[in-house]
Amino acid sequence: TMKVKVLSRNPDDYLRETKRDIHKVFRNYNPVLHPFEAPREYMRALNATKLDRVFAKPFLASLDGHRDGVCCLCKHRKRLSYLFSGSCDGEIRQWNLTNRQCIRTLQGHTGFVRGLACSPDGKRFISVGDDKTVKHWNSDPLSEERDIPINTVVAKSLYTGVDHHWTDSIYATCGQSVDIWNMERSEPVRVYKWGMDSIQSVKFNPVETNLCISTVSDRSIRLYDIRAAVPLNKVTLKLRSNVAVWNPMEAYNFTAANEDHNLYTFDMRKLDFALNVHTDHTDAVLDVDYSPTGRELVSGSYDRTIRIFPVSGTGHSREVYHTKRMQRVFTVKWSADNRYILSGSDETNIRMWKARASEKLGRMTPREKAAADYNEKLKLKYAYHPQVKRIARHRHVPKTIYQAMKEKKLIKDSQRKKEQNLRANSKPGTVPRVPEKLKHIVLPPQE
Ligand SMILES: *[C@@H]1O[C@H](CO)[C@@H](O)[C@H](O)[C@H]1NC(C)=O
Ligand SMILES: *[C@@H]1O[C@H](CO)[C@@H](O)[C@H](O)[C@H]1NC(C)=O
Ligand SMILES: *[C@@H]1O[C@H](CO)[C@@H](O)[C@H](O)[C@H]1NC(C)=O
């Protein structure tokens, strides 16, 4: 037999798909032929990081219309484009986020609107206000009853928050007590009360749907099951928490926004230490929300900034958003498609931000997408090189916040130094080292 060798070429390897496509280039990947591969790659990483900062324009739009500070926001549970907002003068507005327009204005309450919650089917939403009423509304802006509430429940005391169950037609309000309501009844079906302390917030667990979490003015965060009469567990911090939210993916972890400028992430099964302490804010943190992936959280603070934190890691923020006009941020929400952040602040505006500051919105060609992915990978690979790290970490903050951060650092350093000196001059073992994740928790007295 004779062996015949023929040349065979696949046209896909050398022909362009369309006339406008670039010519295919053949390369020899032998590393000997490319001695400067690593430096070139590093340069590309540096360029990508720089361009990332150049194109970081997170602010998208401002929804204005309210005549007083925006104190609560609520996402529609079924439709991405709907947003409800409540203001300090009792007005409730519904927005179409696609064209950023107000589609409905309601005079909901006299005094503050304290909380808004949407039902799981998205057909109704509930508002509570300073006038001691709970109102149920139809969330369809074109319905017959778009101007009047479907139902009004008169309460005995002031309510400060409301949340809806994730599957059933049950909702919870908080104030002097946590009241669990059935949609059809005008009396609460269950009441939880902890002494004379008022309750700041209530949130239903998205997975273990009968589980609730509340922050109480005695500085504790309490967990309870709405089927049982007695609460399950609690953790007490050194200062009061304003709100606690569940991680939507790992729904046994939760994060609390605290008055001491920090956020604390806990595992509900091990409440004696915090999984992570998120520092960086320079004033009380007023609201927090998780991204739908459960990997990041956004917080709004009295210091007039919004920060984005990775849930695990060093506890420092990866991003800080601020504008010249934005005042104290009362409420923040992360949109359900993981791309936008919404914030409501004291100077009547609702702002829409990108969750990733330099992301290109809109459609991308396959080649653009490939380039973006490559740059992303490069940034990750070279993240720890000093130059790249410095550029990636740099953020401009307003002067007041810069000064406050400096001052906070000074205080922390001097406290650390004092502790070190104390330890050095005492009997070994008498001044223990307390890690940050234990430092802020008040443990119950030992019997
Ligand atoms: C990096 O950017 C500079 C200036 O913008 C450009 O001249 C250079 O070719 C870029 N380097 C790489 C490797 O992309
Ligand atoms: C929201 O705006 C978009 C874009 O203009 C429009 O297509 C949609 O119908 C609007 N929705 C409502 C309920 O007005
Ligand atoms: C949630 O808690 C578990 C167990 O304590 C921990 O391993 C995990 O990292 C936590 N998840 C987040 C996102 O913090």
Side-chain angles (χ1 to χ4, degrees):
T1 56
M2 195 173 62
K3 217 175 188 176
V4 180
K5 280 189 178 174
V6 290
L7 275 176
S8 95
R9 292 210 293 173
N10 183 356
D12 279 353
D13 291 340
Y14 57 90
L15 281 184
R16 293 177 294 168
E17 270 171 36
T18 62
K19 219 170 160 187
R20 294 248 192 84
D21 236 351
I22 47 173
H23 285 278
K24 293 206 167 164
V25 186
F26 297 95
R27 286 187 59 193
N28 188 342
Y29 288 97
N30 186 354
V32 179
L33 299 177
H34 302 282
F36 295 113
E37 195 170 355
R40 199 177 298 131
E41 203 173 47
Y42 172 72
M43 199 62 209
R44 279 187 199 147
L46 200 63
N47 275 9
T49 314
K50 279 180 192 166
L51 288 179
D52 210 38
R53 297 317 309 150
V54 170
F55 291 120
K57 302 264 186 297
F59 179 71
L60 281 177
S62 128
L63 314 175
D64 38 25
H66 276 300
R67 288 182 297 270
D68 208 335
V70 178
C71 41
C72 50
L73 291 177
C74 167
K75 293 180 276 190
H76 195 277
R77 285 201 182 161
K78 290 282 178 213
R79 296 188 62 165
L80 270 177
S81 59
Y82 282 169
L83 179 79
F84 304 104
S85 65
S87 131
C88 298
D89 60 359
E91 195 181 55
I92 300 169
R93 280 181 185 247
Q94 186 172 357
W95 304 87
N96 181 356
L97 292 179
T98 317
N99 56 6
R100 293 157 200 173
Q101 299 225 311
C102 177
I103 46 181
R104 189 171 167 207
T105 308
L106 303 163
Q107 194 50 48
H109 298 270
T110 48
F112 281 51
V113 180
R114 293 285 178 182
L116 291 167
C118 184
S119 68
D121 58 4
K123 289 197 178 125
R124 286 183 181 194
F125 71 97
I126 301 160
S127 67
V128 297
D130 268 1
D131 54 0
K132 297 190 184 174
T133 56
V134 181
K135 291 188 178 173
H136 302 180
W137 307 87
N138 192 330
S139 60
D140 183 3
L142 305 173
S143 69
E144 296 271 297
E145 46 202 354
R146 63 172 172 275
D147 295 325
I148 46 159
I150 303 172
N151 194 2
T152 304
V153 181
V154 180
K156 292 197 185 69
S157 67
L158 209 73
Y159 286 140
T160 54
V162 59
D163 195 30
H164 204 290
H165 196 279
W166 284 87
T167 52
D168 302 347
S169 61
I170 296 172
Y171 64 95
T173 55
C174 62
Q176 292 306 312
S177 56
V178 173
D179 297 352
I180 312 293
W181 303 78
N182 200 318
M183 266 296 192
E184 279 74 43
R185 301 224 205 133
S186 59
E187 287 288 322
V189 290
R190 199 180 277 285
V191 175
Y192 295 94
K193 204 161 166 34
W194 295 289
M196 293 315 287
D197 299 304
S198 67
I199 294 125
Q200 254 76 29
S201 75
V202 54
K203 291 275 184 259
F204 277 99
N205 191 305
V207 175
E208 200 57 61
T209 49
N210 289 314
L211 199 65
C212 268
I213 192 167
S214 275
T215 53
V216 186
S217 65
D218 67 353
R219 305 170 303 158
S220 64
I221 303 166
R222 291 175 191 255
L223 297 160
Y224 46 95
D225 192 312
I226 59 167
R227 293 164 302 188
V230 286
L232 290 175
N233 212 345
K234 70 162 185 175
V235 55
T236 308
L237 297 174
K238 292 230 167 105
L239 288 185
R240 195 188 76 190
S241 301
N242 286 315
V243 58
V245 291
W246 294 104
N247 186 326
M249 282 293 144
E250 292 165 293
Y252 41 85
N253 296 2
F254 63 87
T255 298
N258 202 273
E259 285 280 316
D260 68 0
H261 315 180
N262 295 342
L263 295 119
Y264 300 93
T265 301
F266 287 96
D267 185 333
M268 65 170 265
R269 302 162 299 185
K270 291 174 252 159
L271 288 177
D272 45 359
F273 66 91
L275 290 176
N276 208 344
V277 182
H278 310 275
T279 57
D280 278 357
H281 274 299
T282 59
D283 215 322
V285 189
L286 300 183
D287 199 9
V288 55
D289 195 24
Y290 265 97
S291 75
T293 57
R295 309 289 283 282
E296 289 184 310
L297 43 91
V298 59
S299 63
S301 157
Y302 211 74
D303 68 8
R304 310 196 302 245
T305 60
I306 297 165
R307 283 182 186 268
I308 301 176
F309 296 90
V311 175
S312 45
T314 59
H316 287 291
S317 59
R318 76 160 165 83
E319 202 70 78
V320 51
Y321 293 166
H322 55 87
T323 69
K324 245 183 198 154
R325 290 195 56 218
M326 188 163 76
Q327 296 299 313
R328 296 169 296 211
V329 184
F330 290 143
T331 168
V332 284
K333 286 277 174 278
W334 200 306
S335 78
D337 61 352
N338 197 21
R339 303 187 75 179
Y340 306 103
I341 285 166
L342 296 144
S343 70
S345 47
D346 203 5
E347 73 337 307
T348 77
N349 277 352
I350 299 166
R351 290 193 169 77
M352 204 168 154
W353 310 83
K354 282 193 260 183
R356 280 165 295 279
S358 55
E359 187 188 36
K360 184 176 181 284
L361 294 180
R363 189 171 287 200
M364 281 205 270
T365 62
R367 207 176 299 143
E368 259 179 326
K369 193 153 180 348
D373 287 348
Y374 176 60
N375 281 347
E376 218 39 60
K377 205 73 200 167
L378 279 180
K379 275 184 275 176
L380 211 65
K381 185 171 172 186
Y382 288 89
Y384 295 103
H385 283 235
Q387 275 284 335
V388 176
K389 195 170 163 184
R390 189 182 60 83
I391 295 168
R393 214 177 42 188
H394 178 79
R395 291 290 178 282
H396 172 79
V397 289
K399 207 166 168 188
T400 47
I401 290 168
Y402 183 72
Q403 293 297 352
M405 279 166 83
K406 231 161 84 175
E407 196 175 317
K408 262 186 87 172
K409 189 167 180 295
L410 207 73
I411 294 170
K412 219 169 175 180
D413 285 349
S414 80
Q415 272 171 354
R416 190 180 308 128
K417 197 151 188 200
K418 189 172 166 188
E419 205 184 296
Q420 269 170 7
N421 288 344
L422 197 65
R423 191 173 298 123
N425 294 300
S426 334
K427 230 163 105 184
T430 48
V431 186
R433 265 175 228 276
V434 187
E436 195 70 17
K437 59 183 186 178
L438 293 177
K439 221 180 242 175
H440 309 272
I441 297 170
V442 182
L443 292 175
Q446 304 275 315
E447 272 104 43

